[in-house]
Amino acid sequence: MKIISGIKDMQIEAKKQMKLGHSIAFVPTMGFLHEGHISLVEAARKQNHIVVMSVFVNPLQFGPNEDFDRYPRDIKRDEELAREAGVDILFYPHVSEMYPDDRTTTLTVNRRVDTLCGESRPGHFDGVATVVLKLFQIVLPDRAYFGLKDAQQVAVITGLVEDFNVPVEIVPCPIIRESDGLAKSSRNVYLTPSERSDASELSNSLRAAKEAVNNGESTAHEIKKLVESKLQETVGTIDYVEVLSYPELKQIETIDEDIIVAVAVQFSAARLIDNVIITRSGIPIGV
Ligand code: AMP
């Protein structure tokens, strides 16, 4: 596994791979790797010659009172896990090279961000779109792999590549969970033992929502009430519970299209998100 931190070096390596006729897969992450990240690498390896993973805690997507400084980091461990997973190139850029002081342009995301994390974390998706577009220009991938754990991110990035005609295929991948259903997340390490046991209620509430829809409940408000009632039993504070169309993320009254049920719960030192996408066809989204 090659480790590259210079932007130019990464571009030169990507062009070399292209000349060799190799397809490039890209897995962008903020590091502190877990099985969720590794599942993206596995999907990427199946479809491409070369897998590039980036580890970059992107300051632009954190608000002033969020956890940028204390976001968990362990690059040595990440290197080992990435190597074991079969990553070919680990790209580990520096903040100062990614964001010099004198930027001429900025990106603003206009749609799909007036709800969920876009509403709770103003500017978050402007930062995500900016870093992803930059990383795409540096890594020059054919395909990029994103987890549906961050389903709003998938919706925003899909819009971004359409808007800017970016020649990258976006591949959504399913959510990887602990045995009790808790979605794997780098932030789970910040849960206290009692919060950790309560945290499985996020996925339990979403499973109940899916069951209710499959059993014929078609009123979005009823699904929202059901999920809220389950989450109120946790020690966390509900940030949001929403039932929306997917990927447009519009409010709906009646469930008659593909939808997402999405939740965010604030615990003492970690804000957790989870979701389920329920398609009309019953076929899950993602590889
Ligand atoms: P992060 O390092 O949290 O920015 O995540 C990097 C990528 O891994 C994103 O595309 C996430 O959606 C994805 N990811 C994070 N957690 C999971 C999970 N539990 N299952 C699947 N994908 C995940």
Side-chain angles (χ1 to χ4, degrees):
M1 183 179 78
K2 276 192 187 161
I3 298 178
I4 298 178
S5 54
I7 290 175
K8 199 80 215 147
D9 294 341
M10 183 64 238
Q11 282 169 327
I12 289 168
E13 180 64 32
K15 285 184 185 160
K16 194 174 97 189
Q17 296 297 338
M18 283 164 72
K19 272 206 188 112
L20 292 169
H22 291 165
S23 59
I24 301 176
F26 181 39
V27 179
T29 82
M30 297 205 298
F32 213 69
L33 301 179
H34 53 68
E35 287 90 337
H37 301 112
I38 303 304
S39 73
L40 304 182
V41 174
E42 282 164 4
R45 281 180 60 188
K46 284 191 194 132
Q47 296 179 320
N48 304 275
H49 296 99
I50 295 291
V51 178
V52 180
M53 172 186 274
S54 63
V55 171
F56 182 62
V57 185
N58 173 33
L60 234 58
Q61 69 188 67
F62 288 79
N65 298 319
E66 293 183 359
D67 57 349
F68 175 72
D69 289 331
R70 57 180 190 84
Y71 193 85
R73 294 165 169 89
D74 189 342
I75 192 64
K76 284 290 156 221
R77 179 174 165 277
D78 287 347
E79 277 176 31
E80 269 171 41
L81 291 173
R83 190 175 286 115
E84 276 169 26
V87 169
D88 299 288
I89 300 169
L90 186 66
F91 178 51
Y92 180 40
H94 297 295
V95 173
S96 56
E97 202 189 1
M98 286 292 276
Y99 298 122
D101 290 334
D102 50 357
R103 285 192 299 150
T104 310
T105 51
T106 55
L107 269 183
T108 309
V109 182
N110 301 310
R111 280 176 53 232
R112 304 178 175 180
V113 290
D114 58 350
T115 184
L116 307 180
C117 294
E119 190 181 10
S120 306
R121 306 179 67 186
H124 169 70
F125 286 109
D126 295 346
V128 169
T130 301
V131 78
V132 168
L133 191 57
K134 282 174 72 76
L135 289 168
F136 282 179
Q137 308 286 11
I138 297 166
V139 174
L140 307 174
D142 296 280
R143 300 187 184 86
Y145 293 76
F146 290 89
L148 285 164
K149 161 93 183 336
D150 301 283
Q152 188 171 23
Q153 175 167 276
V154 172
V156 167
I157 300 300
T158 304
L160 172 79
V161 299
E162 284 167 14
D163 292 343
F164 290 94
N165 309 101
V166 183
V168 177
E169 182 188 338
I170 302 303
V171 185
C173 300
I175 302 175
I176 304 299
R177 299 179 177 282
E178 304 285 355
S179 54
D180 67 349
L182 175 66
K184 300 219 180 221
S185 165
S186 307
R187 291 186 170 102
N188 289 349
V189 293
Y190 291 129
L191 296 171
T192 64
S194 70
E195 288 175 340
R196 172 63 192 82
S197 71
D198 271 15
S200 59
E201 266 317 303
L202 274 77
S203 59
N204 289 341
S205 70
L206 294 170
R207 196 168 343 102
K210 187 172 180 178
E211 262 170 42
V213 173
N214 288 343
N215 290 334
E217 179 57 69
S218 63
T219 311
H221 180 65
E222 289 303 321
I223 297 296
K224 193 171 161 171
K225 268 194 345 205
L226 171 71
V227 173
E228 276 170 354
S229 70
K230 298 212 171 278
L231 292 180
Q232 271 151 9
E233 286 165 26
T234 72
V235 291
T237 309
I238 298 176
D239 178 358
Y240 60 69
V241 173
E242 294 289 356
V243 179
L244 305 169
S245 64
Y246 193 84
E248 280 307 326
L249 306 180
K250 296 272 184 222
Q251 294 287 345
I252 50 166
E253 285 177 15
T254 307
I255 299 168
D256 56 6
E257 57 190 306
D258 291 355
I259 62 153
I260 183 168
V261 185
V263 300
V265 176
Q266 180 70 54
F267 290 95
S268 56
R271 179 178 167 281
L272 301 189
I273 59 170
D274 200 350
N275 71 79
V276 63
I277 294 173
I278 308 172
T279 60
R280 263 165 70 88
S281 65
I283 300 169
I285 294 178
V287 294

